Amino acid sequence: HLKVEILELARLPAYVVPTLLLPGLLFLFFGVPHAPDQITANRFMAGYATFAVLGVSFFQFGIGIATDRESPWQIYLRTLPVSPQVRFTARVLAALVFALAAVGVVFIAAVLLTPTGLPPGTWLHLSVALLLGSCGALLHVIFSSRCTRISCLWGLWACDRAVDVEHEPEPE
């Protein structure tokens, strides 16, 4: 079911362009010209990567679920002998695949066009923070409770902290 979900989303230009290309293009237009040094470039990269993850979460679950309720295809899928948990898990994993691709576009643009430089451990820390932030955003979109808003904010804060760990200001 995951393969079908990914193929279905990949065939929709109205989904692919805003989720995969828009964060990278916005980073090219607004992040690259304003990133003269490594610290600023790292922060812009983390910010636009966060934007990419949140965009995928909102498109996949906020807009996607709303449009699926009226889609004849989704109504037909509900009659098939597949549990709702399997369909929902496939939707979540497909969102993570697209979020990974969108973040990859931003990371590649940042590495090629800005003085971004993070140690390997910090790249891993940033990736985990983005994953946790996407889970919080996913829960917020689905359940819309205060607890999930806090987890989403924690993920966003962790992304900013992941970039700043190696670049704490030195005392004068």
Side-chain angles (χ1 to χ4, degrees):
H1 201 69
L2 174 63
K3 180 182 174 184
V4 173
E5 185 78 26
I6 291 172
L7 285 174
E8 183 180 344
L9 291 172
R11 292 177 180 165
L12 294 172
Y15 179 78
V16 172
V17 171
T19 58
L20 294 183
L21 300 179
L22 187 64
L25 287 174
L26 289 174
F27 179 74
L28 287 175
F29 291 136
F30 301 112
V32 172
H34 300 292
D37 59 353
Q38 187 176 18
I39 295 171
T40 308
N42 290 342
R43 286 188 176 191
F44 272 116
M45 178 190 63
Y48 281 96
T50 304
F51 171 71
V53 168
L54 291 176
V56 169
S57 295
F58 290 142
F59 266 97
Q60 180 73 359
F61 296 98
I63 297 170
I65 290 176
T67 57
D68 285 351
R69 288 183 180 156
E70 296 180 7
S71 168
W73 176 249
Q74 291 298 323
I75 294 170
Y76 170 72
L77 286 180
R78 284 186 221 132
T79 64
L80 297 177
V82 176
S83 69
Q85 292 83 9
V86 171
R87 290 180 42 232
F88 184 73
T89 302
R91 182 179 286 261
V92 169
L93 293 176
L96 291 176
V97 167
F98 276 92
L100 178 67
V103 168
V105 170
V106 173
F107 280 0
I108 289 170
V111 168
L112 294 177
L113 302 172
T114 64
T116 299
L118 295 174
T122 307
W123 282 102
L124 180 64
H125 187 195
L126 177 61
S127 300
V128 169
L130 286 168
L131 176 66
L132 291 174
S134 71
C135 293
L138 167 69
L139 292 173
H140 172 64
V141 169
I142 294 171
F143 300 111
S144 188
S145 70
R146 283 191 188 142
C147 179
T148 59
R149 283 184 219 137
I150 291 169
S151 64
C152 180
L153 290 175
W154 183 87
L156 298 178
W157 175 81
C159 289
D160 190 41
R161 291 299 301 160
V163 178
D164 287 341
V165 167
E166 301 296 324
H167 303 291
E168 293 292 333
E170 296 180 17
E172 294 182 21

